Each structure stands twice: as structure tokens, then as C-alpha cells.
């Protein structure tokens, strides 16, 4: 069974973390058929941390997890910290397939999203 | 003449800042007809800072500027720091119209973007 795990940085401001949890919940509406498990986790400062998030996916039945870094730039967090957390967890869970997709800021759709934001503002 | 000014947080890692500058440059390809001036600026840690970015837009001929916060959550930066910088600059430039659009993380298209990221990964 396929899962998507959003990974955000995590914030001391709880409302920011809840935005990511809501995003994961709303994604289920459009992607839930193909990815029955869609959860959020955090690199630091908020729970669940990445290893706990991966484990939650497995507890829900996931055998293949797509990790989506909810970051805008390819800094140290995306390039080193997130992969390190995944690799460490993977050592203890060798039978689960984990993919790390590009971070959201790398998406070609970011152009369209910004264009839409400006257009929506004018409506 | 209309301008778009992306505002990112700014990073000590120069490549992250350059990602935002490239994003602004690439946006010109799709939005340049309606928004002839599209530039990037930073809340802190990188140049141009927000007031300098707004001034650059005016120097290029802008009379109306759409400020797009390139942030994923509605934290203090989006809610207080960016508006404060804009308001302060606006006092010295009362004839320029400045709009602050929603931050990119608030976009309804973020669902589609994440969906596309997972799909692209599988291609």
C-alpha cells in the first residue's frame, strides 16, 4: 500500500505545523485513491518527527512511502538532514520502500502557482 | 506599469537566494507581458532587501507592485515583518500602489503541485 509523507521543517508556532497537517488531510481528498495513507511529519520542533512519521505510515499499512519535502529551497535540510533521517530509519525497516521526491520549491508548477496567486488577488 | 516582487526569507547559502532570483527571471517568460518587471528581494540575510527591491521596481518604471511572499506558512514573517517593511517604504513612496498577495503556501494549487511532484517522480 502506498503512502505519502509530507516533511516540513517544523515551527515553534503550532499554527504553522497545523497548516501542514491540514495540507496532508486535504491531499487525501484528491490523492487518497492511489495513496490511501497521507500524513505529515517534521524535521524538528514538532511531532511527529520524520522517523515517527515513517513508522506511522507503516502502522497504517504502508509498504511504499513517498516522502515529499515541504521546503522552498535545496538547503542543508533537504540535501542532508532529511535524507539522513530517512536512511537511519530505513536501516531498521529494510522491507519498506522509501522514495524522496524533489522539494516543492523545485516544481515546475511553482510558476503557475505564483501566477495564479497574483490573478486570484485581482479577482 | 505593473511589477511583481517576490519576497523570500533570504539565506546565508547563496544558492538558495539565487533560486529565488532565477524563479523571478523565469516568471518573466510567462507573465512578462502583463507584468513587465518581475524581481526578487529578501526579508533578511541577502540583497536586495524588501525596501531596495521595491525601489528597484520603481526605478524600472513600476507604478503598481504585487508583492508575493515566497513563504510556506503564515508565520510572523508573513504576517508582521513583510507588511511592516512594505508600510515603511510606502510612507516614502505614497504614489506607488503596493499589493501583498497571499503567501505561496496558502495557494489552492499547492495540492496539485504536490500531486504532480509525486507523479513526476514516478515517470
Amino acid at each position: 500500500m502506498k503512502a505519502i509523507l509530507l516533511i516540513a521543517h517544523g515551527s515553534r508556532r503550532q499554527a504553522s505545523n497545523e497548516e501542514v497537517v491540514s495540507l496532508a488531510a486535504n491531499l487525501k481528498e484528491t490523492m487518497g485513491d492511489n495513496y490511501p495513507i497521507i500524513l505529515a511529519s517534521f524535521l524538528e520542533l514538532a511531532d511527529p518527527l520524520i522517523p515517527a512519521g515513517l513508522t506511522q505510515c507503516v502502522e497504517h499499512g504502508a509498504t511504499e512511502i513517498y516522502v515529499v519535502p515541504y521546503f522552498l529551497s535545496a538547503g542543508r535540510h533537504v540535501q542532508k538532514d532529511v535524507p539522513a533521517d530517512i536512511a537511519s530509519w530505513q536501516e531498521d525497516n529494510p522491507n519498506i520502500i522509501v522514495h524522496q521526491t524533489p522539494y516543492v520549491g523545485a516544481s515546475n508548477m511553482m510558476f503557475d502557482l505564483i501566477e495564479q496567486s497574483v490573478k486570484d488577488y485581482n479577482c
Side-chain angles (χ1 to χ4, degrees), chain A:
Chain A
M1 194 186 294
K2 289 183 180 178
I4 293 174
L5 183 65
L6 293 184
I7 295 183
H9 183 280
S11 171
R12 289 186 183 80
R13 183 177 164 273
Q14 193 52 32
S16 290
N17 303 324
E18 286 166 5
E19 274 189 83
V20 186
V21 173
S22 292
L23 180 60
N26 289 330
L27 273 170
K28 283 199 77 168
E29 293 180 21
T30 54
M31 303 187 73
D33 288 347
N34 293 321
Y35 302 87
I37 304 150
I38 304 183
L39 297 172
S41 65
F42 302 93
L43 178 64
E44 58 187 32
L45 300 175
D47 288 319
L49 294 174
I50 295 172
L54 290 164
T55 296
Q56 282 183 8
C57 288
V58 173
E59 287 170 349
H60 283 76
T63 52
E64 187 171 5
I65 304 170
Y66 290 80
V67 170
V68 180
Y70 195 60
F71 288 79
L72 285 175
S73 67
R76 180 174 48 85
H77 292 324
V78 168
Q79 293 183 326
K80 297 197 174 161
D81 300 338
V82 171
D85 278 359
I86 294 171
S88 172
W89 182 87
Q90 185 88 76
E91 282 179 22
D92 297 326
N93 299 271
N95 295 328
I96 307 296
I97 301 166
V98 182
H99 311 280
Q100 182 178 333
T101 75
Y103 59 103
V104 297
S107 170
N108 284 332
M109 280 187 71
M110 193 55 81
F111 304 116
D112 305 311
L113 186 151
I114 291 172
E115 187 169 2
Q116 197 62 46
S117 292
V118 174
K119 282 182 181 167
D120 285 348
Y121 181 87
N122 281 320
C123 291

